[in-house]
Amino acid sequence: MAFVTRQFMRSMSSSSTASAKKIIVKHVTVIGGGLMGAGIAQVAAATGHTVVLVDQTEDILAKSKKGIEESLRKVAKKKFAENPKAGGEFVEKTLSSIVTSTDAASVVHSTDLVVEAIVENLKVKNELFKRLDKFAAEHTIFASNTSSLQITSIANATTRQDRFAGLHFFNPVPLMKLVEVIKTPMTSQKTFESLVDFSKALGKHPVSCKDTPGFIVNRLLVPYLMEAIRLYERVSDGDASKEDIDTAMKLGAGYPMGPFELLDYVGLDTTKFIIDGWHETDVKNPLYQPSPCLNKLVAENKSGKKTGEGFYKYK
């Protein structure tokens, strides 16, 4: 009896150890072929991962693939400056590691990691993950690239809250080294460590974040951008012009971009979406107060570089 008990305990211990092993991510499914999704797909493929990039139409995916190729050629030109042939091989090999699909449910059955980079809408994200949860393998980790929504609220749409976390990349993904890895109260240590290892495999520097509004970077950055807008709104009182504010922050604080240049680059609609969401959850917080100026520009479809005009005009 004692022998049987010892054998049972060894078996349980071995099983427990096996289940606690980290997932080595080799196959990645990226949902969303926009700027962020395409960037994530590119860096994953460039570092030896097999990637499926998913979006709603073949036209979107063709545009995404073209953008990835152009970005890769820029990388190759710099990385393989003295060996153009090797650069060309790098581009072709990376592109061959990316396949596309318009049917997410059909491609997640064998993937190790699903990274979602779609519209910042909780309902849409919940519907997506609820559906994919039925088709993905048991070991598959789900991650959202959201920059403003609570990860827990997205994870609750699935039955795998322990295998769900935030994986927040920064734009442009191929160049920006930081990745915020967001752990909810339900995220397992195994999942968290697997995503940290994956981020490092991409050549990124992961930092651990709690599931709080804005995580680390946006929690500090968005209020800074909003304060710059408020300062500009008081221009009639002689505070400062947007050009002077941008120049001051670049030359005085050493920032590569001024706040208005950055706002136009990120997208005014994106910033408005974030601050509106935060304001709803904490109405009295002065840092989260909406801006009439920002609201007006977004209403006029002046969201920055992507629309040709924001705080500045672009050709």
Side-chain angles (χ1 to χ4, degrees), residues 188-255:
S188 70
Q189 187 63 21
K190 169 185 170 181
T191 296
F192 174 74
E193 291 177 2
S194 297
L195 291 176
V196 167
D197 288 351
F198 171 66
S199 301
K200 290 178 179 178
L202 299 183
K204 303 300 184 185
H205 189 113
V207 293
S208 173
C209 305
K210 288 186 177 181
D211 192 15
T212 53
F215 314 131
I216 295 176
V217 174
N218 280 347
R219 187 159 186 168
L220 297 173
L221 179 62
V222 173
Y224 154 70
L225 295 176
M226 293 303 297
E227 185 57 27
I229 296 173
R230 294 185 191 105
L231 187 63
Y232 170 63
E233 286 174 332
R234 297 194 299 266
V235 71
S236 59
D237 296 330
D239 281 356
S241 68
K242 60 181 184 292
E243 293 83 3
D244 283 344
I245 294 170
D246 275 351
T247 299
M249 294 311 296
K250 287 188 288 186
L251 300 184
Y255 290 4

Side-chain angles (χ1 to χ4, degrees), residues 82-152:
E82 298 180 4
N83 191 345
K85 183 180 178 182
E89 291 172 352
F90 164 77
V91 172
E92 294 307 315
K93 182 180 179 181
T94 302
L95 288 173
S96 69
S97 296
I98 304 174
V99 296
T100 59
S101 175
T102 56
D103 186 0
S106 69
V107 298
V108 297
H109 58 86
S110 60
T111 195
D112 300 315
L113 172 65
V114 174
V115 181
E116 166 272 312
I118 63 173
V119 62
E120 285 285 81
N121 183 299
L122 181 60
K123 183 180 179 182
V124 175
K125 291 180 189 290
N126 282 348
E127 289 174 352
L128 171 70
F129 279 118
K130 184 177 181 179
R131 180 164 176 258
L132 297 185
D133 194 32
K134 300 174 183 177
F135 296 94
E138 185 178 350
H139 80 279
T140 302
I141 296 172
F142 284 180
S144 175
N145 181 59
T146 181
S147 59
S148 61
L149 299 174
Q150 187 185 46
I151 301 298
T152 301

Side-chain angles (χ1 to χ4, degrees), residues 143-204:
S144 175
N145 181 59
T146 181
S147 59
S148 61
L149 299 174
Q150 187 185 46
I151 301 298
T152 301
S153 298
I154 307 173
N156 284 342
T158 75
T159 60
R160 62 182 74 213
Q161 290 96 330
D162 61 320
R163 286 151 288 158
F164 204 116
L167 206 56
H168 183 216
F169 292 82
F170 292 81
N171 185 35
V173 179
L175 299 180
M176 300 296 278
K177 289 293 185 181
L178 184 68
V179 175
E180 292 178 323
V181 183
I182 301 95
K183 185 178 182 182
T184 77
M186 298 168 291
T187 306
S188 70
Q189 187 63 21
K190 169 185 170 181
T191 296
F192 174 74
E193 291 177 2
S194 297
L195 291 176
V196 167
D197 288 351
F198 171 66
S199 301
K200 290 178 179 178
L202 299 183
K204 303 300 184 185

Side-chain angles (χ1 to χ4, degrees), residues 30-63:
V30 180
I31 313 293
L35 201 59
M36 295 303 295
I40 296 166
Q42 176 183 323
V43 296
T47 49
H49 300 84
T50 302
V51 179
V52 179
L53 180 61
V54 181
D55 213 309
Q56 294 177 318
T57 69
E58 294 292 351
D59 287 345
I60 294 173
L61 290 168
K63 184 178 179 181

Side-chain angles (χ1 to χ4, degrees), residues 66-92:
K66 182 181 179 182
I68 290 172
E69 182 175 357
E70 291 173 353
S71 176
L72 282 170
R73 294 201 182 283
K74 290 179 183 178
V75 172
K77 188 175 182 180
K78 185 175 181 180
K79 187 175 181 180
F80 300 94
E82 298 180 4
N83 191 345
K85 183 180 178 182
E89 291 172 352
F90 164 77
V91 172
E92 294 307 315

